[in-house]
Amino acid sequence: MSAQALRLFNTLSADVQREALTLAESLPEDEAVYVAALRSMPTNKRRQLLFSLSKQRWGL
């Protein structure tokens, strides 16, 4: 798991962490953390996270 995904995982509630662990059975760990986090976030926070991930991935 990447350092960023681990930091995000540590900020999630216990319920969302369990969801991420369940998702990790069928998805890569990083992806499972991001999906679980996105599902639990309000829309504005979700947009901020997606923008920051895009910025890191593609240098936007």
Side-chain angles (χ1 to χ4, degrees):
M1 182 181 305
S2 71
Q4 182 181 9
L6 183 57
R7 281 191 297 274
L8 179 59
F9 181 81
N10 288 332
T11 65
L12 300 173
S13 69
D15 290 335
V16 179
Q17 285 181 351
R18 279 191 289 278
E19 181 182 349
L21 293 175
T22 302
L23 287 169
E25 294 174 4
S26 59
L27 296 171
E29 289 178 341
D30 285 7
E31 208 171 303
V33 170
Y34 294 132
V35 167
L38 288 168
R39 286 181 179 174
S40 69
M41 289 179 173
T43 303
N44 62 335
K45 292 283 189 185
R46 188 178 311 141
R47 287 182 183 146
Q48 288 175 345
L49 177 61
L50 289 172
F51 182 75
S52 70
L53 293 172
S54 296
K55 189 175 178 182
Q56 290 173 8
R57 174 83 170 150
W58 292 287
L60 300 174

